[in-house]
Amino acid sequence: MLNCGLTDLRLVRPRDGWPNARATSAATGAAEVVRSARLFDSSAEAVADVEHVYATTARVRDMRKPAVTPAAAAVEIRQNAARGERSALLFGPERTGLDNDDVALAAKVLHVPLNPSFSSLNLAQAVLLVAYEWYRAGEGDGPASSATPTERGRAATSAQLQNFFAHLEQELDASGFLRVRHKRAVMLRNLRNLFHRASLREHEVRALHGILAALTGRRKDGAPTRRARHRSGGS
Amino acid sequence: MLNCGLTDLRLVRPRDGWPNARATSAATGAAEVVRSARLFDSSAEAVADVEHVYATTARVRDMRKPAVTPAAAAVEIRQNAARGERSALLFGPERTGLDNDDVALAAKVLHVPLNPSFSSLNLAQAVLLVAYEWYRAGEGDGPASSATPTERGRAATSAQLQNFFAHLEQELDASGFLRVRHKRAVMLRNLRNLFHRASLREHEVRALHGILAALTGRRKDGAPTRRARHRSGGS
């Protein structure tokens, strides 16, 4: 619950009594949610002050009620809240789920669409998925958002890229890599595309120049690098 | 996993050995997933045959990698599959999460957006949310997909990429480019990320090996290339 920003926990006749040390210890970091849980004698009392009740079910039963997915419920619940109306998500006991009297409290049943041949979730997982959808529906940037990579430094300019491509081409010519005449143009184009796709930063272009110089033992102007001079002096 | 239709479980050095009776008993109804899990000695080996690796992180670290939500990753993974390319979701141990070497295997990090003041999930919950988004993306009710440009040829596998990184690292070491000890690790990480961002194809990785060999005048095994022999014979 707290992972998804939910804190109002209401319990109906907890099997093992309340407070419950195991529940508190299992709630590491979220113990406040457990501590502030309210107890009720019946599901009806637990949801008495709530305008919209959703009954979660593992299977869509013949309940003559509209069934919604967690995603659809999440949108509705946020719309309800915008009108000042509260919503409750009703979950049943681990093994048996909600009984018919519980489900009868709800205007809609909430069903998590999962692998039809293996759809049973444990209670914690069911709560997580439903709460997650609620949280997600409130994230302004919508469901499919992916953060744009925050690359360090400035993006390389086109001129900087072209300068690197020229350096690469010069060294590939010198090395013989482009010796097959009829493949030369397409090979260079493919290489440029590869580096374009990487959205290079300025500092990366500088590093790539340095790599070309280091691998060939030559500065860009054709003069030997310090290392290359040292090397040839030593041999 | 099985709730969401996923069955290919790969384990890296399970802490408590394998097979593990507790894992089997916890997997009620999904024991087949546990039974058919494959064991690996390293994360690199576990994902070697996979084209797209997503590293899950509890926090978006300063990793210089694009970060995607489970929803965005789900769409990508289904698009990858439509092109015949496999994807791996990499999860770390319960307490520590993935280490930097694990994350280095991935082109993207996957981050579950949750309550910023309580965002840590246990491993089972993290797997569930990510798998759920994958399942959901296949059920009409998923987010609208944005088509990505399809590159020619097959995507390089993780093993092919790691092999190229090793070749690059070896040549950069030999050239003296990485001689500043305290910068070595970060320089290599930045280079890997740069090439990860390019989503390299198999034929491009082959070309990059060829370029390294040509620029250094040396085949990958250290023997001189034909051109290098010719050049030294001529001088």
Side-chain angles (χ1 to χ4, degrees), chain B:
Chain B
M1 285 178 57
L2 191 57
N3 277 133
C4 302
L6 296 176
T7 55
D8 185 0
L9 174 60
R10 301 177 181 198
L11 300 169
V12 178
R13 294 191 309 273
R15 187 193 58 189
D16 299 332
W18 202 260
N20 180 316
R22 284 184 60 211
T24 310
S25 89
T28 341
E32 185 51 30
V33 174
V34 172
R35 260 195 298 275
S36 60
R38 282 177 283 168
L39 292 191
F40 295 87
D41 286 328
S42 68
S43 304
E45 291 166 82
V47 300
D49 63 332
V50 166
E51 285 86 357
H52 305 276
V53 179
Y54 297 82
T56 58
T57 66
R59 50 201 177 283
V60 176
R61 286 182 274 201
D62 183 21
M63 283 300 300
R64 318 262 191 281
K65 289 184 196 285
V68 292
T69 61
V75 172
E76 289 183 8
I77 289 169
R78 289 190 173 271
Q79 289 170 342
N80 297 341
R83 290 193 301 268
E85 297 167 8
R86 277 160 298 190
S87 304
L89 296 160
L90 201 55
F91 291 89
E94 187 77 68
R95 283 174 197 285
T96 56
L98 293 173
D99 67 27
N100 288 342
D101 287 343
D102 296 324
V103 177
L105 295 167
K108 300 187 177 178
V109 295
L110 194 165
H111 175 70
V112 185
L114 290 172
N115 180 3
S117 62
F118 190 69
S119 65
S120 86
L121 285 174
N122 70 38
L123 178 56
Q125 292 170 329
V127 171
L128 176 64
L129 288 184
V130 174
Y132 169 74
E133 287 283 10
W134 177 83
Y135 185 78
R136 199 174 171 261
E139 297 287 282
D141 141 347
S145 75
S146 63
T148 45
T150 44
E151 299 298 333
R152 253 187 19 183
R154 289 185 60 81
T157 64
S158 177
Q160 288 165 339
L161 277 185
Q162 300 312 317
N163 189 30
F164 165 64
F165 293 152
H167 186 189
L168 178 63
E169 183 176 331
Q170 169 194 316
E171 292 300 351
L172 291 179
D173 272 327
S175 75
F177 184 76
L178 298 171
R179 66 190 173 282
V180 184
R181 291 281 289 268
H182 71 278
K183 290 189 178 172
R184 188 174 181 282
V186 71
M187 289 174 86
L188 286 173
R189 192 181 66 200
N190 289 345
L191 278 173
R192 280 192 299 263
N193 284 343
L194 179 167
F195 285 106
H196 271 310
R197 293 205 308 274
S199 303
L200 296 173
R201 322 305 295 171
E202 280 187 343
H203 69 91
E204 291 172 330
V205 172
R206 279 196 301 274
L208 289 170
H209 278 296
I211 286 172
L212 278 178
L215 293 178
T216 57
R218 189 164 40 205
R219 292 205 315 261
K220 196 183 167 189
D221 56 13
T225 61
R226 198 182 318 177
R227 180 179 164 80
R229 280 201 304 275
H230 177 73
R231 205 160 43 187
S232 63
S235 66

Side-chain angles (χ1 to χ4, degrees), chain A residues 43-160:
Chain A
S43 304
E45 290 166 84
V47 299
D49 63 335
V50 166
E51 284 86 357
H52 304 275
V53 179
Y54 296 82
T56 58
T57 66
R59 49 200 176 283
V60 179
R61 289 181 272 201
D62 182 23
M63 286 296 302
R64 313 261 189 280
K65 287 186 196 286
V68 291
T69 62
V75 171
E76 290 183 9
I77 289 170
R78 289 193 173 268
Q79 289 169 346
N80 298 342
R83 289 192 302 269
E85 298 166 7
R86 275 161 299 190
S87 304
L89 296 159
L90 199 55
F91 292 89
E94 187 76 70
R95 284 174 196 286
T96 56
L98 293 172
D99 66 27
N100 287 344
D101 288 345
D102 297 322
V103 177
L105 296 168
K108 299 186 179 180
V109 296
L110 193 165
H111 174 71
V112 184
L114 290 171
N115 180 2
S117 61
F118 190 70
S119 66
S120 85
L121 285 173
N122 68 39
L123 177 57
Q125 292 170 328
V127 171
L128 176 64
L129 288 184
V130 174
Y132 169 75
E133 287 284 11
W134 177 81
Y135 184 78
R136 219 181 107 162
E139 295 287 277
D141 52 8
S145 87
S146 66
T148 41
T150 44
E151 297 301 334
R152 243 184 26 181
R154 293 177 57 84
T157 65
S158 177
Q160 288 164 337

